[in-house]
Amino acid sequence: LNPDHIKLVNKAEAEFWRRSEGYQTKPSDQLLQFDCGGQQWVKEVVFPCGSASESNMKDIEFMEKLNQGIEEQGIAAAAPLEQRWTSSSSSLMSPANGPPDGLHSWVGIIMYLPSDDERER
């Protein structure tokens, strides 16, 4: 991948979302579900980052180091880098297992795959 090209694509996407800003209120099944636009590969990590009442800032530190590494290595990292937070899960098999007031950060790096249909590429 060409890092300069990816930067241009990311800049165009950021502008699209800037122009699409707004607010709306709907039931979660209508608002949070969307078509991802095709197949994708996702590398995702999750880690504890404090509690609901007090962050330990590990989430911000992680993103700063991730972005620094992308810049320093000239990695063609396609947007978006997704970050979200959840409370801890009581499930022993959950990667977000932790105390009831725990807070976890999830970070996903998404690579959208080209369509199999040559006309769509």
Side-chain angles (χ1 to χ4, degrees), residues 25-65:
T25 303
K26 293 182 179 178
S28 63
D29 65 327
Q30 295 176 17
L31 187 60
L32 298 177
Q33 297 176 8
F34 60 93
D35 182 359
C36 292
Q39 293 183 327
Q40 53 187 264
W41 287 339
V42 178
K43 172 66 174 171
E44 187 169 58
V45 297
V46 60
F47 51 90
C49 59
S51 68
S53 60
E54 185 175 350
S55 170
N56 63 15
M57 301 302 286
K58 296 294 183 189
D59 51 346
I60 303 302
E61 291 172 18
F62 181 90
M63 292 304 292
E64 288 174 341
K65 288 179 183 177

Side-chain angles (χ1 to χ4, degrees), residues 18-109:
R18 187 190 66 75
R19 292 182 184 190
S20 301
E21 287 181 13
Y23 298 91
Q24 57 182 312
T25 303
K26 293 182 179 178
S28 63
D29 65 327
Q30 295 176 17
L31 187 60
L32 298 177
Q33 297 176 8
F34 60 93
D35 182 359
C36 292
Q39 293 183 327
Q40 53 187 264
W41 287 339
V42 178
K43 172 66 174 171
E44 187 169 58
V45 297
V46 60
F47 51 90
C49 59
S51 68
S53 60
E54 185 175 350
S55 170
N56 63 15
M57 301 302 286
K58 296 294 183 189
D59 51 346
I60 303 302
E61 291 172 18
F62 181 90
M63 292 304 292
E64 288 174 341
K65 288 179 183 177
L66 176 62
N67 285 320
Q68 180 181 5
I70 288 169
E71 289 291 325
E72 288 176 357
Q73 300 296 317
I75 296 171
L81 299 178
E82 291 185 346
Q83 185 173 27
R84 65 186 191 282
W85 295 264
T86 63
S87 58
S88 293
S89 171
S90 60
S91 172
L92 296 177
M93 300 217 23
S94 171
N97 176 265
D101 67 337
L103 181 66
H104 285 74
S105 178
W106 300 72
V107 177
I109 301 172

